[in-house]
Amino acid sequence: VGAELRLERGIIAMASAELRDGRMIVVIQAPGSNVTRLALVGADGRLTVVSWNIAQGARYERVRDALAAMDADVYLLQEGDMGVRRSDYRSVAKDLADDLGLNWVFAGEFQEIGQSRRNIPAITGQAVLSRYPIRNAFALPFENQARLRWNLDPFQPRRGGRMALRAEAGGVRVYNAHIESARDDRFRHKQIDEMLSDRLEPERADLPVVFAGDFNTGNVPDKSPIVRCLIDEGFVDALGAFDTARRTSVHHTQPLDW
């Protein structure tokens, strides 16, 4: 089962997790092949969540095989292509879901100018692949955007904007975000704050929350204001405390993009 949602800005996708000892969990994503794998134990058993920026899915077979080897319940993927030349015009999310036998949702964050064929838009965005149903997916475009950076970029022209992916599964509400790379951490903090504010709306107070994605912050987590503001809000870093041996599922110490 799959779905494609195209909006003027942003994408829709989601992930799922359970509480651990009654605490909310934050999944922090690794760069490129540096995958974060989070295993949680909930009331109904074990649920494994993977978050990964797959770099458009251009190395499709390697991405597919890596995901299959991890055998997770839910995969949160950032920078997946649909109809883009650099990834052989694949619908990456759909193809991965078909190959792995999973449900899937995808929608575009950016339209990649000059990468399409036959008047079909070239889209890059986020996806969720899941063993479980995906419900109430919603695009949350950020008010704070670096629009001129991308609209006027001669090397990577695109239309669209950064956003968070809000949805529900497995008794959890998830925000899967691709935070802006073209600004500093002060700007990125504003986008994180938009997600934090959204989760406090009264109609969204019924479920625990997972934040995940490509945050584009520094590679020293204890000095990153992005990580720190989430921890200050009561979230738990999936890789553990800063003074422990921090490793992603492929043994990298750096849990964030860049």
Side-chain angles (χ1 to χ4, degrees), residues 236-256:
V236 178
D237 186 341
L239 295 186
F242 298 135
D243 58 355
T244 62
R246 299 166 58 80
R247 291 290 187 274
T248 69
S249 64
V250 290
H251 312 298
H252 285 265
T253 59
Q254 179 176 320
L256 298 172

Side-chain angles (χ1 to χ4, degrees), residues 8 23-25 51-52 67 73 78 95 97 100 105 116 130 149 156 166-167 172 174 182 220-221 228 244 253-254 256:
E8 180 180 352
R23 297 176 299 175
M24 292 180 289
I25 304 298
S51 180
W52 188 9
L67 295 178
D73 298 302
Q78 300 88 43
D95 290 352
L100 299 174
V105 174
S116 63
S130 175
R149 165 64 175 83
Q156 192 179 13
R166 188 185 77 211
V172 171
V174 66
V220 185
R228 178 53 57 191
T244 62
T253 59
Q254 179 176 320
L256 298 172

Side-chain angles (χ1 to χ4, degrees), residues 10-11 107-111 123-126 159-163 178:
I11 64 175
E109 184 173 59
F110 287 108
Q111 179 183 358
I123 305 295
T124 191
Q126 275 109 288
R159 299 190 185 103
R162 306 289 186 187
M163 55 86 67
H178 193 185

